[in-house]
Amino acid sequence: MPLPFKHLISTRQLTRADTEEILKVSAEMEKIRKKGGNELLKGKILAALFYEPSTRTRLSFETAMQRLGGEVVTAEGIQFSSLYKGETIEDTLQMVSQYADIAVMRHPEQGSAEKAASASSIPFINAGDGPGQHPTQALLDLYTIEKECGRIDGIHIAMVGDLRYGRTVHSLSYLLGLFKNVRFTLISPGELTMPEKVTGFYRENNLSFEETDDIRLGLDADVIYMTRVQQERFADRSEYERLKLKYVLSAAMLKGKKVTVMHPLPRVGEISTDVDALKNAAYFRQAGNGVPVRMALLAMLLGKA
Ligand code: CP
């Protein structure tokens, strides 16, 4: 089934049927990746525009394209591109559309993805727009939840940390809202609670959610989704320093617990390294799932899946 849209900007544009189709194609792509890849996208070029730092998203998109036989051209850092000279995002995408077959962009400004897509004549994928959305991360998170827990309907997820600026928890909330009987426990300091745009979505869709600042309420969930306090979104450095390590998940806290531990990464102390050896620790497997999910998205948006 082809996707009913050309650009992927937000998880809010996805239906349950679209999402399940992407997860199904991702599972096929995982098999292809295990065999070393194929030539499905031979002759196609991905423009990878990363105007804000990234390790996983950028490398997994580039790996995904190359595993499918395609090629990648890149632009990195605003200061090394003509955005620095004042070129608009729209002009950049008009021009990139002349060079490549598909584009992916990360940019620090919320709303930049809509601007880029509006000017792009090739498929465009949002790889994170400031505190806005990160739809491909949410899709790989969902793929991970299904693999680790065996289901998505009925899961209890605890989201912990910077729920205000963390775009991954926003995008993932909208996707989980497509599934049945999902329960959210939102754990954050009062300064970093989930924004009204997301809690309003929970209410409109009759989703069960509770808000607390006590991490112990997340330890018996099916999934505990830890997040980094987003240093780059704080105007006041001292406020960041005060909040950055409010929650640190340790192996001692997880003793006897079955909860699956996820994190979009990078972590900067919120999961202690003694958790890494536990079976519960799914975050590096989660990062690995970025490759098949992004292989699926590239192939589907290029009409080749
Ligand atoms: N999860 C994620 O988006 O990681 P990067 O910032 O390294 O791409």
Side-chain angles (χ1 to χ4, degrees):
M1 185 186 81
L3 290 172
F5 48 81
K6 180 172 177 177
H7 309 302
L8 178 58
I9 299 164
S10 157
T11 49
R12 295 213 70 172
Q13 71 193 81
L14 294 167
T15 63
R16 179 162 177 161
D18 300 333
T19 305
E20 286 180 338
E21 188 67 13
I22 294 167
L23 299 187
K24 201 169 94 188
V25 177
S26 300
E28 291 304 311
M29 291 296 175
E30 190 168 345
K31 291 182 205 157
I32 291 170
R33 183 186 69 168
K34 282 186 179 145
K35 289 183 190 155
N38 68 15
E39 298 287 290
L40 189 67
L41 299 185
K42 189 172 167 56
K44 300 289 184 190
I45 295 177
L46 166 70
L49 313 172
F50 280 83
Y51 300 123
E52 193 180 53
S54 168
T55 298
R56 275 146 292 275
T57 311
R58 179 176 173 179
L59 291 182
S60 60
F61 261 115
E62 294 190 7
T63 303
M65 193 63 181
Q66 293 183 21
R67 288 279 184 207
L68 291 174
E71 291 177 55
V72 183
V73 292
T74 59
E76 184 187 5
I78 287 178
Q79 71 275 30
F80 300 116
S81 78
S82 286
L83 290 177
Y84 189 70
K85 300 181 224 167
E87 184 167 56
T88 62
I89 291 170
E90 288 90 339
D91 280 4
T92 300
L93 264 292
Q94 290 232 33
M95 194 262 315
V96 167
S97 299
Q98 315 292 317
Y99 298 162
D101 300 289
I102 187 163
V104 55
M105 184 182 83
R106 174 170 291 185
H107 192 284
E109 190 184 300
Q110 184 163 356
S112 53
E114 279 92 345
K115 285 187 196 170
S118 73
S120 180
S121 58
I122 57 174
F124 171 85
I125 303 173
N126 178 10
D129 61 329
Q133 277 254 347
H134 194 351
T136 66
Q137 177 70 44
L139 285 162
L140 78 87
D141 291 344
L142 209 60
Y143 185 72
T144 304
I145 291 169
E146 192 170 46
K147 274 183 79 175
E148 298 285 333
C149 302
R151 70 193 200 290
I152 301 170
D153 285 321
I155 68 145
H156 174 200
I157 184 166
M159 295 175 162
V160 183
D162 186 350
L163 307 184
R164 180 175 175 194
Y165 297 118
R167 57 194 170 201
T168 66
V169 287
H170 306 164
S171 294
L172 181 57
S173 290
Y174 298 132
L175 267 196
L176 285 169
L178 299 171
F179 290 80
K180 290 199 186 84
N181 301 323
V182 174
R183 184 178 147 208
F184 297 84
T185 297
L186 308 174
I187 302 165
S188 69
E191 296 86 343
L192 298 176
T193 54
M194 191 66 94
E196 170 56 32
K197 67 178 179 184
V198 183
T199 53
F201 168 81
Y202 297 146
R203 283 192 202 93
E204 280 159 27
N205 291 279
N206 294 318
L207 298 170
S208 166
F209 75 98
E210 58 184 338
E211 294 183 283
T212 174
D213 63 358
D214 186 350
I215 193 170
R216 289 173 299 181
L217 297 186
L219 299 176
D220 292 308
D222 297 301
V223 173
I224 188 163
Y225 190 102
M226 300 295 294
T227 64
R228 170 179 72 91
V229 175
Q230 305 271 301
Q231 175 185 351
E232 60 274 37
R233 316 280 176 229
F234 280 76
D236 179 353
R237 175 86 198 178
S238 63
E239 179 82 340
Y240 166 71
E241 291 295 334
R242 191 171 63 76
L243 296 171
K244 69 178 181 187
L245 288 179
K246 161 103 177 154
Y247 304 109
V248 179
L249 189 65
S250 67
M253 291 162 74
L254 291 166
K255 198 161 189 283
K257 304 289 185 189
K258 292 201 177 107
V259 64
T260 295
V261 181
M262 293 177 61
H263 192 308
L265 304 177
R267 65 175 158 184
V268 286
E270 23 341 282
I271 301 178
S272 82
T273 52
D274 61 8
V275 177
D276 297 359
L278 303 182
K279 261 176 36 187
N280 315 49
Y283 32 93
F284 292 120
R285 295 191 289 276
Q286 179 186 355
N289 290 335
V291 174
V293 171
R294 289 172 174 131
M295 287 166 78
L297 288 167
L298 291 169
M300 293 172 91
L301 288 170
L302 284 166
K304 295 280 188 180

